[in-house]
Structures are given as structure tokens and as C-alpha cells.
């Protein structure tokens, strides 16, 4: 799922050329996946709540695999868009089912570690899976979609053979959405959405941002690999810092760092000579990777502390908040580019989003009820 979520961002020019659409329209293949996931996760999670968990995980993964095959074989943009919706429906249910499975099996004192392990799969996908996908994508952007389907099929076989069966208590949609009735928790979830929105506003169109300075395809692959490693580093460092300090303090520092990085990165792109941006651009991108990867653990811990008796539901809602932020970010970036904003201007948009997010985070921290 991590490869599927990230790899298309590095192939937008190739997708746009093959499907005869603009790069901004190609970026909506990322947006529609994320938006569908955000809206479908709580609904599908409720509909299938009475199902045995291994069956649910296997079925959702099968739909996810089929959706990627449709995208990989799509003759036109509309078919590819439909395939992304199908993959998102499977992915949304898969995400919710896996999260619930992990929380149910892990002892309370080890839930954070278990969830971080699952999150590590996304980080590994960014560092390793995406560069491999991009390398395959140099021949055809369709190959990474086929790769995801093949890997997903192997995972499906492993799940059917090895994953123990598990039944969990059924829940209603009202129960799943009840935490949203707490203004403080809702605002906390919107912080997640803001972080991902700012990230995907730039990440989805990273190939366009770096196009003037890194013209060769293999350079983009190396840059994406570096971003993934930076994300893994941020995740590891803030995981330790969250145990040593409070999630609130760690998240505050991360958000301030991301905001400053976006502002300074935009200034550097717009003012320094092109030769110098080869260095400053990489500094901005990798620093963003550290911050975006590092925000996940303290934010999850913060949300769990806000609703300690609804951890499973809150984590599922946080997954929807992540998908919603990804969809809004890639969609906003595409609309901005279509309206004439330069790729460098996306950093300024991300900075505005981060400023709003940081303000909301401070308000949540100061509110006690």
C-alpha cells in the first residue's frame, strides 16, 4: 500500500503523456485514491465489523490488487481513475482491518510499538519500494502498478496461510464516529489532516519542482530514495524522543521545523542561482522527509492520550484524517498548478497550511476540555 501511495508522484510526466492529460490531472490519480480512502474507511469498517478479521483483510487486499491491475492495464484516463477508486476501497478497508487487528492482539503497553511497526512498512515503502517502482517505471509507468499487484498477491497468500483467525465485537457507524463529537479530539484529527495536506501539496509534484535542476530520471529515483530514508530517520528519532519527552513537545518542535523549512525552501528556490538550488532544494526536501516522517508517532500518541478509552476507533479515524489530508494536498497542488502557480509556489502554499496547522495544534494543547 505504501508503494502504491507514493510511487505515482514520481511518474506524473510519464502518466500525463501516456494518458494524454495534464500533469495536474495525472496528480488527481493520487487525490482520488486518498479521498476515497478517507470517506470509505469508517463506513466499510462498520459494514464489515461483524466479519472474521482474516477474511476481511484477505478480501480487502484482493480488491486492492484488482484495482491496481485495472490501473496498470488502463487504456485511458477514465479507466485509470476508476481503478484508483477500486484500489482505494480495498485499501481503506485493509487499513482499518489491519489497525483493528493489531490493536486487538497487542497488549496495551505495546500498542504504540505495534502501530509503529505497521507505520514502518510505509516508511520502508518510501525508502525502498518507491525507488524500485520508479526504476521500473522508466520503461513504463504501468510496471509499478503490476509490481504492487504481484506483491499484494504474495501477501494475500501469506495471510491466508499464516494469519490466525480473529473475531472482534461489532460496532455501529455512530460508535465509530462518536469521538468526533469531542471538539478537542476533532481538532487534533484536523492537525493530522493539515500535516498530510502540506506534505502532499509538494510531494505529489516533486518531479516538477526538481525538473529544472535534476533533469535525468535516475536523479529523481535517488532523490525519492533519500526522502524515504529521511522519513525513516525522522520516525525513529521522534519515536525515541516521544518516550523521553511528551508527545506534545515533540510534535510542536516538528511542526515549527516543517513551517520554517517550507518558508526557507521557497525563498531559496525563488532567489538563489539555479546551480545553488541543486543543494538547497535537496536540503529542503530531505528535511521535509524527516519532519513528515517524524510527525506520525507523537501525533498518534497525542491522539491516544486525548481519548484513551477509544484507541482503536481514534486510530481508524486518524487513518481517515491521513487520507483526507493526502487527497486535499495533492488536489490543492494540482488546482494551484492549473491556475498558473509555479511548482516552487507550492512550498508557499504548504507553509500557509502548516501555519494554520500549528495554530490549531497550539489551541488543542491549551484546551483542557
Amino acid at each position: 500500500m505504501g508503494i502504491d501511495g507514493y510511487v505515482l508522484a514520481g511518474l506524473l510526466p510519464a502518466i500525463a503523456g501516456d494518458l494524454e492529460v495534464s500533469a495536474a490531472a495525472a496528480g488527481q490519480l493520487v487525490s482520488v485514491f486518498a479521498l476515497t480512502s478517507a470517506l470509505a474507511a469508517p463506513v466499510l469498517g462498520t459494514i464489515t465489523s461483524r466479519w472474521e478479521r482474516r477474511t476481511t483483510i484477505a478480501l480487502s487486499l484482493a480488491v486492492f490488487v484488482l484495482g491496481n491491475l485495472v490501473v496498470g492495464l488502463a487504456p485511458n484516463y477514465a479507466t485509470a481513475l476508476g481503478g484508483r477508486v477500486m484500489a482505494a476501497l480495498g485499501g481503506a478497508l485493509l487499513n482499518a482491518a489491519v489497525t483493528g487487528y493489531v490493536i486487538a492482539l497487542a497488549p496495551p503497553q505495546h500498542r504504540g510499538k505495534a502501530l509503529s511497526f505497521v507505520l514502518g512498512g510505509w516508511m520502508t515503502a518510501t525508502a525502498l519500494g518507491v525507488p524500485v517502482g520508479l526504476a521500473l517505471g522508466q520503461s513504463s509507468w504501468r510496471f509499478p502498478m503490476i509490481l504492487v499487484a504481484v506483491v499484494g498477491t504474495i501477501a494475500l497468500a501469506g495471510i491466508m496461510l499464516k494469519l490466525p483467525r480473529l473475531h472482534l465485537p461489532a460496532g455501529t457507524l455512530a460508535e465509530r464516529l462518536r469521538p468526533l463529537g469531542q471538539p478537542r479530539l476533532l481538532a487534533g484529527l484536523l492537525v493530522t489532516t493539515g500535516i498530510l495536506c502540506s506534505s502532499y501539496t509538494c510531494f505529489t509534484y516533486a518531479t516538477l519542482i526538481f525538473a529544472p535542476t535534476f533533469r535525468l530520471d535516475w536523479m529523481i529515483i535517488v532523490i525519492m530514495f533519500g526522502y524515504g530514508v529521511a522519513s525513516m530517520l525522522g520516525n525513529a528519532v521522534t519515536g525515541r524522543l516521544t518516550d523521553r519527552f511528551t508527545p506534545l513537545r515533540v510534535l510542536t518542535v516538528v511542526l515549527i521545523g516543517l513551517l520554517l523549512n517550507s518558508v526557507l525552501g521557497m525563498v531559496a528556490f525563488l532567489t538563489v542561482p539555479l546551480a545553488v538550488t541543486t543543494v538547497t532544494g535537496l536540503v529542503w526536501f530531505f528535511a521535509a522527509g524527516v519532519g513528515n516522517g517524524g510527525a506520525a508517532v507523537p501525533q498518534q500518541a497525542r491522539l491516544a492520550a486525548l481519548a484513551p478509552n477509544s484507541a482503536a476507533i481514534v486510530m481508524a479515524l486518524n487513518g481517515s484524517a491521513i487520507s483526507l489530508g493526502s487527497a486535499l494536498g495533492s488536489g490543492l497542488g494540482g488546482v494551484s498548478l492549473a491556475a498558473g502557480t509555479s511548482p516552487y509556489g507550492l512550498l508557499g502554499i504548504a507553509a500557509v497550511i502548516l501555519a494554520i496547522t500549528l495554530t490549531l495544534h497550539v489551541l488543542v494543547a491549551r484546551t483542557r476540555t
Side-chain angles (χ1 to χ4, degrees):
M1 284 185 64
I3 296 173
D4 180 82
Y6 291 124
V7 73
L8 289 186
L11 299 170
L12 293 189
I15 296 171
D18 186 23
L19 298 181
E20 299 181 347
V21 296
S22 67
Q28 302 316 302
L29 293 176
V30 178
S31 302
V32 73
F33 181 95
L35 183 59
T36 302
S37 297
L39 298 177
V43 177
L44 292 178
T46 300
I47 292 173
T48 62
S49 62
R50 297 182 183 275
W51 297 6
E52 188 274 319
R53 293 294 88 188
R54 187 182 74 175
T55 301
T56 304
I57 292 173
L59 178 62
S60 57
L61 181 55
V63 174
F64 176 75
V65 166
L66 182 60
N68 275 280
L69 281 176
V70 171
V71 176
L73 301 174
N76 52 53
Y77 180 73
T79 304
L81 209 60
R84 291 295 283 171
V85 171
M86 182 185 299
L89 291 173
L93 180 55
L94 179 62
N95 212 16
V98 168
T99 301
Y101 194 103
V102 167
I103 290 176
L105 287 190
Q109 65 272 25
H110 296 306
R111 282 178 180 171
K113 182 192 297 183
L115 289 169
S116 294
F117 183 77
V118 174
L119 181 64
W122 289 86
M123 303 299 176
T124 303
T126 313
L128 301 177
V130 171
V132 171
L134 290 177
L136 291 173
Q138 302 313 304
S139 299
S140 171
W141 67 269
R142 300 172 185 273
F143 287 164
M145 299 294 98
I146 304 300
L147 169 67
V148 169
V150 170
V151 174
T153 301
I154 295 171
L156 179 60
I159 287 169
M160 296 303 296
L161 291 173
K162 294 294 185 179
L163 195 68
R165 291 183 175 273
L166 176 68
H167 287 276
L168 296 176
T172 66
L173 183 60
E175 290 172 340
R176 290 178 178 269
L177 299 180
R178 186 171 295 134
L180 295 179
Q182 305 175 34
R184 193 178 181 207
L185 180 59
L186 177 59
L189 290 169
L190 288 176
V191 170
T192 296
T193 299
I195 294 171
L196 270 295
C197 182
S198 65
S199 172
Y200 269 75
T201 296
C202 295
F203 180 83
T204 306
Y205 306 97
T207 51
L208 305 182
I209 294 172
F210 287 114
T213 50
F214 298 93
R215 299 179 181 277
L216 300 179
D217 293 333
W218 67 266
M219 293 180 177
I220 298 298
I221 296 174
V222 173
I223 291 171
M224 288 296 189
F225 173 75
Y227 183 92
V229 172
S231 298
M232 294 176 67
L233 177 63
N235 183 50
V237 170
T238 57
R240 294 177 180 272
L241 292 176
T242 300
D243 290 336
R244 183 174 180 181
F245 303 100
T246 65
L248 175 62
R249 290 182 179 180
V250 175
L251 186 58
T252 302
V253 172
V254 170
L255 286 173
I256 293 173
L258 283 170
L259 175 57
L260 293 175
N261 186 54
S262 291
V263 173
L264 294 175
M266 181 184 65
V267 171
F269 272 122
L270 294 175
T271 60
V272 303
L274 190 62
V276 180
T277 59
T278 59
V279 176
T280 58
L282 292 179
V283 171
W284 158 73
F285 197 52
F286 295 158
V290 172
N292 291 322
V297 173
Q299 174 63 352
Q300 282 188 338
R302 179 71 177 146
L303 291 173
L306 290 176
N309 297 324
S310 306
I313 296 175
V314 170
M315 288 303 103
L317 291 173
N318 190 51
S320 290
I322 289 171
S323 297
L324 180 60
S326 303
L328 291 175
S330 53
L332 179 60
V335 170
S336 300
L337 291 173
T341 302
S342 74
Y344 298 154
L346 297 179
L347 278 72
I349 296 174
V352 172
I353 297 169
L354 284 167
I356 296 172
T357 303
L358 178 60
T359 302
L360 183 60
H361 166 69
V362 172
L363 291 175
V364 172
R366 291 184 174 180
T367 304
R368 297 300 179 186
T369 58

